[in-house]
């Protein structure tokens, strides 16, 4: 059963590694596809710009937004450098419109193109402009292309020009002081788009985590139902792991130690010590102790270790090992590695407490306290050696040894 549990753990580990690899390769492929830039675009269309306004018809004196967006080529081999000094809100001229403010939004990189954007707050004032169409004037931009060749300095092309077309705006009457509800749809800026994208990604990530949690809880509940109602008995309990048995035995030894220091030793405490040490001796000798599921309100039995598993729906098991010092000595040759020495020490502890309880010699409290302390330390060492990290380290060491042996045979 322990081997089946380890096989299931390894299978889950490899499934997780496979999913992580698939996600990483997909992200890498998508990043490579976004970074691939066709060289022909650098020659034919290095820059594109356009206007957008928050209103197509405005009142005289009304402020509205004018947005200038440019898309330029920006790759590792070639990049377009625009003279943006003429686009600053304090320097740009859009006669006959007055610029009363503005700002520059952060750049956005999309594949082989980079987008930059200026937003201007403008207005127009005049007594003879009612009912006329005025235009955002044409704007000339200056730029040059920087080309980077392998093992060569950067090459700059001659300065070129790009002209934005005019944008017509209809003018209506004066703005009334009570016309606070005259509103049009605002222009979408790169900053607004970036905020919406961030909020969308955040909401998607939260939804994915909650969905995964829901699936996990559903699988956990379904597994509990299956474990409860499968089999002829209506409920099939999964056996305790060796580490869980050892932790239960260690807890009982520590409780016995506290009671012995307070009330002294008696036959009941000696029986509880033997019931906890014998499963440890069996595990150290590579003999899994028998275990039996019992009801949650079952009382402890003499010579058996009562182990509880779970918090929400606790399960109780009786673990008993009819191990004696002589039987463990005959089986000690089967134990290997670090557990062989622990088996010998556990055998000595079982012999000492068995002689004290069933022998004719009176028990000496001081000697029993020291023997119990030694048994607790042995149980802690065995728990450490049977932990998940120790088993994983041993598995990796065995795998490395097998690989080395295979290499030597070649």
């Amino acid at each position: 059963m322990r081997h089946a549990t380890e096989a299931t753990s390894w299978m889950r580990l490899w499934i997780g590694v496979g999913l992580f690899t698939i996600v990483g390769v997909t992200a890498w492929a998508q990043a490579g596809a976004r970074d691939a830039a066709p060289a022909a675009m650098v020659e034919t269309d290095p820059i594109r710009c356009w206007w957008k306004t928050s209103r197509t018809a405005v009142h005289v004196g009304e402020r509205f937004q004018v947005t200038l967006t440019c898309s330029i080529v920006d790759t590792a081999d070639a990049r377009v450098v625009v003279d943006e000094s003429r686009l600053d809100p304090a320097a740009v001229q859009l006669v006959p419109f007055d610029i009363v403010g503005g700002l520059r939004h952060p750049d956005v990189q999309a594949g082989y193109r980079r987008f930059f954007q200026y937003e201007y707050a403008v207005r127009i004032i005049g007594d003879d402009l009612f009912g006329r169409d005025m235009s955002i004037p044409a704007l000339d931009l200056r730029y040059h292309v920087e080309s980077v060749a392998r093992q060569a300095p950067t090459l700059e092309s001659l300065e070129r020009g790009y002209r934005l077309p005019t944008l017509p705006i209809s003018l209506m009457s004066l703005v009334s002081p009570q016309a606070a509800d005259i509103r049009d749809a605002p222009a979408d800026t790169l900053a607004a788009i970036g905020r919406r994208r961030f909020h969308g990604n955040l909401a998607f990530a939260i939804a994915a985590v909650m969905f995964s949690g829901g699936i996990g809880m559903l699988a956990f509940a379904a597994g509990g139902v299956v474990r409860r109602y499968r089999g002829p008995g209506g409920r099939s309990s999964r056996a305790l792991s060796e580490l869980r048995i050892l932790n239960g035995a260690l807890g009982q030894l520590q409780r016995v130690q506290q009671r012995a220091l307070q009330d002294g030793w008696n036959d009941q405490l000696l029986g509880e010590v033997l019931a906890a040490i014998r499963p440890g001796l069996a595990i150290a000798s590579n003999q899994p102790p028998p275990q039996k599921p019992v009801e949650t309100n079952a009382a402890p039995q003499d010579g058996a270790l009562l182990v509880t598993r779970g918090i929400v729906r606790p399960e109780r098991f009786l673990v008993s090992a009819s191990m004696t010092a002589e039987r463990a000595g005959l089986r000690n040759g089967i134990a290997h590695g670090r557990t062989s020495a622990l088996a010998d020490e556990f055998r000595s502890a079982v012999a000492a407490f068995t002689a004290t309880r069933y022998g004719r010699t009176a028990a000496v409290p001081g000697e029993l306290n020291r023997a119990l302390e030694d048994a607790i330390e042995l149980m802690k060492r065995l728990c450490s050696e049977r932990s998940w990290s120790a088993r994983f380290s041993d598995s990796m060491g065995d795998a490395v040894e097998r690989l080395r042996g295979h290499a030597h045979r070649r």
Side-chain angles (χ1 to χ4, degrees):
M1 183 173 297
R2 180 169 60 87
H3 295 295
T5 304
E6 293 180 354
T8 303
S9 302
W10 277 105
M11 182 179 66
R12 292 176 180 174
L13 176 62
W14 283 113
I15 290 175
V17 172
L19 292 176
F20 180 79
T21 304
I22 291 173
V23 172
V25 170
T26 303
W28 175 79
Q30 292 178 352
R34 289 195 302 266
D35 294 338
M41 294 298 294
V42 178
E43 300 177 359
T44 59
D45 199 5
I47 181 173
R48 293 197 304 267
C49 297
W50 58 91
W51 294 110
K52 186 175 182 181
T53 62
S54 59
R55 288 157 175 74
T56 57
V58 298
H59 295 78
V60 174
E62 179 186 6
R63 294 189 181 187
F64 63 99
Q65 305 297 323
V66 176
T67 305
L68 169 63
T69 307
C70 290
S71 170
I72 59 175
V73 171
D74 190 352
T75 65
D77 298 328
R79 61 189 301 264
V80 174
V81 180
V82 181
D83 182 9
E84 299 186 27
S85 60
R86 303 180 181 182
L87 302 179
D88 189 85
V92 69
Q93 298 293 329
L94 300 178
V95 180
F97 294 90
D98 296 331
I99 299 178
V100 295
L103 56 91
R104 188 188 190 282
H105 293 289
D107 294 355
V108 174
Q109 187 75 33
Y112 62 91
R113 284 193 169 270
R114 179 169 59 88
F115 294 83
F116 66 88
Q117 190 176 71
Y118 285 86
E119 185 178 359
Y120 307 105
V122 301
R123 66 181 179 181
I124 187 169
I125 298 176
D127 297 335
D128 55 345
L129 302 178
F130 303 135
R132 297 176 58 183
D133 289 341
M134 304 299 293
S135 297
I136 301 293
L139 189 62
D140 294 325
L141 301 180
R142 311 302 298 177
Y143 73 93
H144 64 270
V145 180
E146 294 182 354
S147 300
V148 180
R150 294 182 178 179
Q151 298 180 355
T154 302
L155 301 178
E156 294 185 4
S157 66
L158 296 176
E159 191 175 54
R160 305 176 185 178
Y162 181 86
R163 188 177 183 85
L164 275 82
T166 60
L167 182 65
I169 301 292
S170 298
L171 299 178
M172 297 183 290
S173 61
L174 289 172
V175 178
S176 171
Q178 290 80 25
D181 58 344
I182 301 178
R183 297 180 181 274
D184 292 334
D188 288 332
T189 61
L190 294 179
I193 294 173
R195 287 193 297 270
R196 286 199 295 268
R197 179 179 298 174
F198 171 78
H199 293 159
N201 293 337
L202 180 61
F204 180 81
I206 294 176
V209 172
M210 296 181 67
F211 179 79
S212 301
I215 293 296
M217 294 300 296
L218 180 62
F220 179 80
V225 172
V226 171
R227 289 193 301 269
R228 181 175 181 179
Y229 293 103
R230 71 182 179 182
R235 176 176 178 178
S236 177
S237 298
R238 180 170 52 89
L240 294 173
S241 64
E242 291 184 351
L243 184 60
R244 187 68 188 87
I245 295 174
L246 294 176
N247 287 329
L250 177 61
Q252 179 159 314
L253 291 178
Q254 291 174 342
R255 290 190 297 270
V256 169
Q257 185 181 38
Q258 295 178 357
R259 292 163 56 189
L261 292 177
Q262 294 176 358
D263 304 328
W265 286 91
N266 53 47
D267 289 342
Q268 181 181 357
L269 294 183
L270 290 173
E272 293 180 3
V273 170
L274 287 173
I277 296 180
R278 284 169 179 168
L281 174 59
I283 294 175
S285 303
N286 287 338
Q287 293 181 267
Q291 51 183 282
K292 174 185 176 183
V294 295
E295 298 296 330
T296 55
N297 57 353
Q301 296 183 9
D302 187 20
L305 175 66
L306 186 61
V307 182
T308 303
R309 178 181 63 190
I311 299 176
V312 179
R313 295 182 58 191
E315 298 176 291
R316 309 189 82 178
F317 293 80
L318 283 177
V319 181
S320 60
S322 57
M323 294 292 296
T324 62
E326 293 76 11
R327 183 179 178 184
L330 294 176
R331 297 285 298 178
N332 193 26
I334 302 177
H336 61 88
R338 292 171 296 181
T339 58
S340 61
L342 284 178
D344 292 337
E345 297 182 16
F346 268 106
R347 187 160 57 91
S348 301
V350 169
F353 281 100
T354 302
T356 302
R357 184 180 186 187
Y358 300 104
R360 298 181 180 179
T361 304
V364 180
E367 295 180 357
L368 291 178
N369 291 335
R370 288 191 294 272
L372 182 57
E373 291 179 0
D374 295 339
I376 291 175
E377 291 300 323
L378 288 176
M379 195 67 68
K380 289 181 179 179
R381 288 167 53 189
L382 186 58
C383 289
S384 177
E385 293 185 1
R386 294 304 175 101
S387 64
W388 181 90
S389 58
R391 293 200 306 269
F392 178 77
S393 178
D394 292 340
S395 300
M396 294 299 296
D398 294 341
V400 171
E401 291 297 331
R402 287 195 298 268
L403 289 176
R404 288 179 177 176
H406 183 67
H408 286 311
R409 286 194 298 271
R410 286 186 175 182

